[in-house]
Every structure is written in structure tokens, then in C-alpha cells.
Amino acid sequence: MPGTEIRVALEAIPMGGMKEGSAGDETVLFVRDAAGVRAFQAKCPHLGAPLAKGEICGARLYCPWHKAAFSLADGSLEEPPALDALTRYPVRIEGSDAVATLTPEPAPTKTAGATVGSVLVVGSGAAAVACIKTLRREGYGGPITMVGRESHPPYDRTKLSKQFLAKPTPPEKVLIEPDFAQVNMVERINGEVVRVEPVRREITLKDGRTLTADAIIVATGSRAVVPEFPGQDVPVTELGGVFTLRSLDDAVRVSEAAGKAKSVVVVGAGFIGLEAAAFLNKRGLSVTVLAREAVPFAKRFGEAVGVALKRYHAGNGVTFEIGSVARIAGTDRVEAVETEDGRRLPADIVLVGAGAAPETGLIAGVAPGDDGGIAVGGDLKLAEGVWIAGDIAAFPETASGETARVEHWRLAQQHGAHVAHAILGRDGAFAGAPFFWSNQGDKRLDYGGHAKGFDRVVLQGDPAALDFIAYYVTGDRVTAACSIGRNKTFTAFLHLLGLGRLPAAAEIEAGADLPALAREAA
């Protein structure tokens, strides 16, 4: 409530640290350093995580759940998945207490410097939304047009394979802002783009319309892959009860079908497949995961981590089968999944998790690389006034030194923010550290960095207990890490990785204190 005061003892706020204070249902986060005491909203604007449980690294405060980063100086947003800065409250020192008044300080008014006349955003996913939000936050007042084929307002796709499936959930629960276009002064066009002409800065829609702008960001994302299995009689796409899980419409259909089903076969043991398996299992369905590999994620995370995750899901009731699909049986509706070695896995619904393919075919005069991505430099620029972002971008990833195409929600947001700053005249190469999280049932797995492969794994903790951090080493460098239950160390790793100040692999293996290093690394 405006005007409410929250008081804490100064000595309760450690120097270089933070303390949550409360009055009734109201809370505020106090931070203290050599510059004094400041007060911010106590919950992350992304999904409401308690920031007092987060980590301070250098001059940043990291959200404990999804690693959004905020400046300790003024609460400004430095890294997504949050899209807004922290609300700041005035603080006074009264005797031995710090007192915050819950009347928000006005956000600083920004006026964009070098600007363009108009911006065209192709796509409506993570990169598109982050670009628009950043442009407006930085004071750009020109026209922005967003073109996307989905009719929904922009939504958080990371939620679709998680709690959304565990019970009937209204689609509006995953919207980023129900009135996104109005709030952000965006002209929204619901349509399919069939061609992008980078040199002319022009796009063509399926209905024949053409649009141009002074700056274009192409962030078309990926589409779900639906293979035609070798013994298929009826095309998979014509069988009732067979689904992919990429869009909000997909998630609504899967959730509705799950309400009437007793059994589901998930084809593929990737992140989306295992997340969906865990939450459909919570819903009471009998869940079978069919995958070619005996240990999920072994190539990505190493054998020990993969075995631990499989054991965890199996312990919760998910059945694992090893093999390949011969066909999905049924005439009008799915009846079973048949494997190449002759097994028959009965199913009321089948969820195909065969991966995704980047939507790059509509960009004229540019051939995608072997990984399906469009190669760009560190500035993400494809042509003058045209940038590529998100799933479709094959870009120089700083920490690993490799050209990477990374299908991470947060990375797409980072790309979108980078392009917004480039549109406003800020030069420089993208250097953000990739990060994603995966809710494997009740356990959150964090992964930071990029490693197409690795020479060895430095493992600290106990994977079997799902309490560990694993570092992936190539040569003498750690280029990525994954973790469950080691938030302090993992956050420090991510911070140091983004700054290019991560110790060598041998030092980490010898027990380098990453949180201590990160506290000093601004």
C-alpha cells in the first residue's frame, strides 16, 4: 500500500548483502554497500521469485530461479528472462534503522539517442518481445510493427511443457502481457511471412502484402519436426491423438486430450519430452518414454548426470523403453506405438518430441548452414538495417569460441535486447552467456554456457542425490556447466563466464571458490 513504511535494523543488512523486510503482506528488499542502503521490490518481476534468496555477484543481483540480473545501483534490468527493471523505493536512515516508504520512486525517463524512423519485427516469440520491450524501455518512440502467424498475444513458451500440463490451465496464464500490443504501442499484424528481402529491407506476407522499415529484426524461431515413420500407413498428422508441443495451441490440445486419456507415449527423451512426461505423470496418466538412447542426456551432460535423471523420473513412475518407432498405429485415432523390434506400446495419446527445425527458408539470397542457422557476425547483423536473432542465428559464441546456434528462450531474449540496442546506435558484439533451465518434475536443472562436445567432466557433488554441479571441459577451458541444487556456485559460474573471467579448468577442479570470485567481479 502506498505510504506504508518497512523498517529493518541497519545491522541486519550485511555490508555487500541484502535483507528482506516486511510489514503485514508488504515486502521490500534492502541492499547495502559502500554507497549506502537502497530498497527494491522483493520479488522478481519475471515469475515472482524471492530475490532475497538470490545471489549478489559484483554489481548485480541474480534471481534465484531463472537468473534474471538487475543492477544493485538502481534496479535496472541487465539480463532476462525478466523484461522490466525492479521498482525502487525511497529509503531514509532513522537512528539505527533503515526505513523504506512503499511509494515507488518514478522510473527514470529515457530518450533514445540515435534512432531509426520505423522498426519491423518478424516473429512474436522471445527475441521479438525482448527487442520491443528494450526499445520502449530505452525511450524509442517511433512506430514498431510486429508480424507473427500466431493469433495469441506473446506468451512464455517455457511454461508449456511444465505445470501447464499438470492440470487444466487457462491459456491466458502463460501470456506475457494480455494487452502487449497496446501497452507497448505496437502495430500487430497476424499473418505469415513468406519472404524476407534483406537488401531491400522488405518482407512479403502470404496474402501478398509487402512491408518495409528502416530496421528489421528477423526472429522467426523454429517449428516442431514431425517425422514420417518407416512403417506408417496413415500419415502421423492425420491421426487423432498425436501431438507435438511447440506452440500454445499445441499445449492446449495436449492438455485437453490428457484430461480424457489414461496413457501417453512420449517419443524422444529431450528436454521438452521429459518435462512433459513428468507433468503428465503428475496428472495421473501412465507415461512411457520411448527413445533410441539408453541414457537420456548422456551426450549432453555425461553418463552420471543422465543416469541420475533417468532414475529420478523412473522413481516417480515414468516407464522408459529403448528403441525406434516403426509406426504409430491407428486408423482414425492413435492406438499404440510399434517399435522396430516388434514391441507394441498402447497409447491414448502420443507426444512426438523429435526436435525442431529453424524457420530460415523465407530469407532470400541466404543459404542456411549445416546446423540450419543463418550465419551472422558478433553484431547479429545480416544486412544494413537487418538483424537475425534467436533460434535461427548461427553466431560467434564468446566463451566457447565456436559458431553456435542455440535454441534457448533466454538466449533469444538476450539477442532481442542486443538488437534493440544496435537499432538505437549502440555498436558492439553480442557477448551474453547462454543459459536455460529445465523443470525435471520437482527438480530444476540449470545449464549455462555452450559445449557441442567436451573432453571430460569435472563433477562436484552427488548426481545420484540430484545435488551437484558438472563442468564441461575442452582442453583447459570450462565452456559450460549444469547443476541441480547448487544455485550459489552455478550463479557465480554464469556471472564469471559472462565476464570472461572464469578460472581455468584445473583451478576449478582444485576447488576454486567461484562465489568469492564472483562477488568481486564487476
Side-chain angles (χ1 to χ4, degrees):
M1 179 180 295
T4 298
E5 292 188 345
I6 295 180
R7 179 185 300 266
V8 299
L10 268 175
E11 64 180 16
I13 314 170
M15 183 61 69
M18 54 189 164
K19 172 71 175 178
E20 183 179 294
S22 63
D25 293 334
E26 302 290 341
T27 56
V28 74
L29 183 74
F30 293 90
V31 301
R32 185 183 183 194
D33 55 24
V37 178
R38 295 170 297 286
F40 304 103
Q41 68 185 79
K43 293 183 178 180
C44 180
H46 175 223
L47 290 181
L51 291 172
K53 294 185 177 180
E55 303 297 334
I56 290 177
C57 298
R60 284 182 170 184
L61 167 61
Y62 284 87
C63 167
W65 292 354
H66 307 120
K67 310 303 176 284
F70 307 92
S71 167
L72 284 173
D74 59 7
S76 57
L77 177 67
E78 298 203 348
E79 291 285 7
L83 295 171
D84 297 298
L86 297 180
T87 300
R88 185 173 177 180
Y89 301 104
V91 178
R92 70 180 187 275
I93 304 302
E94 196 172 89
S96 60
D97 293 341
V99 184
T101 303
L102 296 193
T103 300
E105 293 187 352
T109 301
K110 293 186 178 183
T111 302
T115 63
V116 297
S118 59
V119 176
L120 180 57
V121 180
V122 182
S124 58
V129 169
C131 181
I132 291 167
K133 295 288 286 186
T134 304
L135 285 169
R136 293 306 190 208
R137 194 170 58 246
E138 293 296 318
Y140 176 71
I144 301 176
T145 302
M146 180 172 69
V147 184
R149 61 170 172 252
E150 292 194 66
S151 59
H152 304 284
Y155 56 86
D156 187 337
R157 190 167 56 81
T158 66
K159 296 180 179 179
L160 300 183
S161 55
K162 301 179 176 67
Q163 287 85 353
F164 188 89
L165 298 180
K167 61 182 180 180
T169 305
E172 55 267 24
K173 288 289 188 181
V174 301
L175 299 184
I176 292 169
E177 288 174 331
D179 49 358
F180 178 86
Q182 181 180 355
V183 167
N184 297 285
M185 298 176 292
V186 173
E187 180 187 359
R188 176 75 192 279
I189 296 177
N190 182 210
E192 183 175 351
V193 176
V194 295
R195 191 170 180 84
V196 176
E197 293 278 358
V199 176
R200 297 208 300 263
R201 291 202 299 273
E202 178 184 272
I203 70 168
T204 303
L205 276 63
K206 192 174 183 178
D207 62 12
R209 283 179 290 172
T210 59
L211 301 171
T212 62
D214 299 305
I216 298 177
I217 174 174
V218 184
T220 44
S222 300
R223 65 184 184 279
V225 172
V226 184
E228 283 299 328
F229 300 107
Q232 204 67 39
D233 299 322
V234 179
V236 171
T237 52
E238 294 180 15
L239 271 179
V242 178
F243 304 98
T244 56
L245 186 53
R246 186 76 190 175
S247 68
L248 178 52
D249 287 337
D250 289 342
V252 169
R253 286 190 286 264
V254 172
S255 184
E256 288 177 349
K260 304 169 187 175
K262 293 182 179 179
S263 62
V264 55
V265 172
V266 178
V267 178
F271 292 108
I272 289 177
L274 282 188
E275 286 183 349
F279 287 101
L280 289 171
N281 178 58
K282 280 178 175 286
R283 193 163 176 171
L285 278 73
S286 172
V287 179
T288 300
V289 174
L290 175 65
R292 291 189 181 94
E293 63 273 17
V295 178
F297 304 131
K299 290 183 179 179
R300 184 72 178 270
F301 297 147
E303 192 83 9
V305 174
V307 166
L309 287 169
K310 182 176 181 178
R311 183 183 297 120
Y312 169 72
H313 286 293
N316 287 333
V318 175
T319 299
F320 286 85
E321 298 282 351
I322 303 169
S324 299
V325 177
R327 71 181 188 119
I328 298 178
T331 304
D332 297 316
R333 286 197 58 80
V334 63
E335 297 172 3
V337 175
E338 297 179 356
T339 66
E340 290 182 347
D341 61 3
R343 284 169 291 157
R344 181 179 174 90
L345 308 175
D348 298 321
I349 57 178
V350 172
L351 181 59
V352 179
E359 296 271 26
T360 53
L362 49 78
I363 303 174
V366 180
D370 292 340
D371 63 358
I374 300 296
V376 289
D379 58 3
L380 307 183
K381 184 178 284 190
L382 181 64
E384 190 59 37
V386 180
W387 290 265
I388 298 292
D391 290 7
I392 65 173
F395 68 100
E397 199 280 312
T398 304
S400 66
E402 297 179 343
T403 296
R405 190 181 71 79
V406 179
E407 294 180 354
H408 297 171
W409 175 264
R410 182 178 180 268
L411 190 280
Q413 291 179 308
Q414 290 172 301
H415 276 184
H418 176 88
V419 171
H421 288 133
I423 289 171
L424 298 178
R426 186 184 301 177
D427 295 327
F430 174 76
F435 162 75
F436 73 86
W437 72 93
S438 176
N439 288 90
Q440 298 289 309
D442 294 330
K443 300 293 183 179
R444 190 192 73 240
L445 180 145
D446 292 327
Y447 182 93
H450 177 71
K452 287 182 180 177
F454 45 87
D455 298 335
R456 61 192 179 95
V457 181
V458 174
L459 192 55
Q460 297 173 353
D462 184 3
L466 296 182
D467 179 20
F468 69 91
I469 184 166
Y471 300 96
Y472 301 98
V473 182
T474 299
D476 63 350
R477 289 199 304 167
V478 172
T479 64
C482 81
S483 173
I484 296 176
R486 298 291 178 102
N487 191 60
K488 181 183 289 289
T489 302
F490 178 84
T491 304
F493 161 82
L494 190 66
H495 182 73
L496 294 167
L497 184 73
L499 293 176
R501 294 172 64 177
L502 194 67
E507 295 176 65
I508 291 176
E509 193 166 15
D513 188 342
L514 298 190
L517 293 172
R519 280 194 295 272
E520 304 301 320

